[in-house]
Structure formats: C-alpha cells, structure tokens
Amino acid sequence: DLTFCQGDSVILQEQNGFQNYKWSTGETTSTIIVKKTGIYSLTVYTSDGCPSGAGPFNVTENIRPKPVISVLPINAISTVICDRKPLVLDAGSMFASYKWSTGDTTRKITVDKPGTYSVIVTNKVNCLADTLIIVKEGISPDKPSISIQNDSLISSIAPYYQWQIDSTDIKDATSQVYKLPKFTNIRRYRVKISNEAGCPAVSDALSISSVHDYSLQSGFIVYPNPTQSLVHISYPSSINLEECTI
C-alpha cells in the first residue's frame, strides 16, 4: 500500500521496459502521477503483443492537519500583549509533534514580545502543516465607570463593551447601555471594556437590588441596596419629587 499527504502525490512507475502500457486510469505511459485515493492497476504488452497484468496498487491520501493558534487570555482582539503581560499561544492538542519559530517543540508557548510567531505541526501519519499569528502590543485603558439612568446602566465611552453579572458575561450585552431586567435579589454588575488595541479594563462592581417591580416600571431606582451609608435615588425628570422617605 502507498500513502501520501493531502496536496501531494505519488508516482507509479513500471521499470522493465515493455512495448505498451495501459493503466486503469486510461493513461498509456510507463509512469503515472496519482493525486487521489484509489485502487490502480496496469496492463503491459510485450513487443509481440502479449499482455501481462500488474497490481492492484492501493493508494491512500492522508488528510493534512489544520492547525489554529488560540491565545490566552482572550481579549476583544486577542493577539495583543497588554501592559507587557505575556500571552500563551496554543497550537492545539491533536498533533503528534510541534516546532515553533522560537525553537520550542511544545504544544503551548508563552510570549512577552510583539512579533510574528509560526508553528509546524505533524499528525500521526506524518503529514505536515504550518500556520502563523501576529502578536501586537498595547496599553490597557483606564478603569470604566458606570452610571444609572432610569432602568439602564450606562458605561463610560469605549470602543468595545461587555456587561457582566457576578463576573460572568451577559449574553448579547455588548453596547454602552444595558437595560436592567426585573429582579428582586441583589445583583452585582460590572462592565468590561476594550480599546482599539484590544486591551481590556473592568469597572468596579455596582450592587443593585430591586425590591418591587414597580420601582423599575415607574423609573425609580435606589442604589446601592443594601447599603450602610450613602444611598442614591434615580427618577424620571417628569416627576416632581419634594420629599422621599427611605
């Protein structure tokens, strides 16, 4: 049996010098180039026209690996070294061997300088493939702030936003304004922003508690709740509030 890697080929050649040749592919030369999996055979003819057969030859095309370099930690634009904090480049676990441009032969490498990094991987059938990644350098933005308007949280301005509750990303909450859902328990909200370079910053936690649904419906928000000292009240400008007892 013969094998070759995807994108390559294998040569089948008859070397005894017969008068005529006929391959199962229809070709009539002594040598053929095979570029796909299959079973191949050859019929040769002597000078007096007598035929003789050779084969079958089983040829298999092996799949070439497809490495993808992932980066930790993952930012909005993940291939950035922020504030000189190193990144981990991971070529994946499904390969038999690794060879990085740095000389490392491990699955993962740690980098702390910007530049182009490449890796050559080999799979179990000895097929090779390579890929590269460009790492840039950046500086994290200032810590964002959160303000409250009626039933919405508003982040300070940034290119990218991700709202969080108890440090867990909220699905599809990626705009500057986050509309609060109705709830009765205490929730701690944060916003994670990233600048154009992809470097992140996370706000302080803001604890909010809605005791009654009507507080959101009417536009009144009291925060932080609970509190042991200062309390803020947010309400629509259409309401003329003269006195409030808490």
Side-chain angles (χ1 to χ4, degrees), residues 115-169:
T116 300
Y117 297 87
S118 61
V119 62
I120 301 172
V121 300
T122 305
N123 61 16
K124 294 180 180 180
V125 291
N126 209 35
C127 289
L128 303 176
D130 63 357
T131 189
L132 60 81
I133 191 170
I134 298 174
V135 175
K136 298 181 180 180
E137 192 172 30
I139 299 175
S140 294
D142 294 333
K143 182 189 296 185
S145 59
I146 301 175
S147 59
I148 299 181
Q149 183 174 348
N150 297 331
D151 60 349
S152 296
L153 304 181
I154 304 174
S155 169
S156 50
I157 296 176
Y160 305 96
Y161 307 91
Q162 175 59 66
W163 289 94
Q164 300 178 330
I165 181 169
D166 295 328
S167 300
T168 299
D169 289 353

Side-chain angles (χ1 to χ4, degrees), residues 150-151 179-182 210 212-221 236 239:
N150 297 331
D151 60 349
K179 185 177 176 62
L180 290 166
K182 296 178 181 180
S210 174
H212 302 291
D213 285 346
Y214 71 81
S215 64
L216 290 179
Q217 295 170 355
S218 63
F220 279 88
I221 296 179
I239 297 177

Side-chain angles (χ1 to χ4, degrees), residues 34-102:
V34 175
K35 297 183 178 181
K36 62 181 180 180
T37 297
I39 299 175
Y40 298 84
S41 60
L42 170 66
T43 302
V44 297
Y45 298 86
T46 61
S47 57
D48 57 7
C50 293
S52 179
F57 307 103
N58 293 313
V59 178
T60 302
E61 178 185 30
N62 290 321
I63 299 298
R64 194 174 292 276
K66 296 180 179 180
V68 176
I69 299 174
S70 59
V71 183
L72 294 173
I74 299 175
N75 305 324
I77 306 172
S78 61
T79 57
V80 180
I81 295 173
C82 298
D83 306 322
R84 298 183 179 180
K85 296 178 181 178
L87 297 176
V88 175
L89 306 184
D90 185 351
S93 62
M94 66 290 295
F95 306 113
S97 67
Y98 305 83
K99 181 65 179 294
W100 291 88
S101 54
T102 59

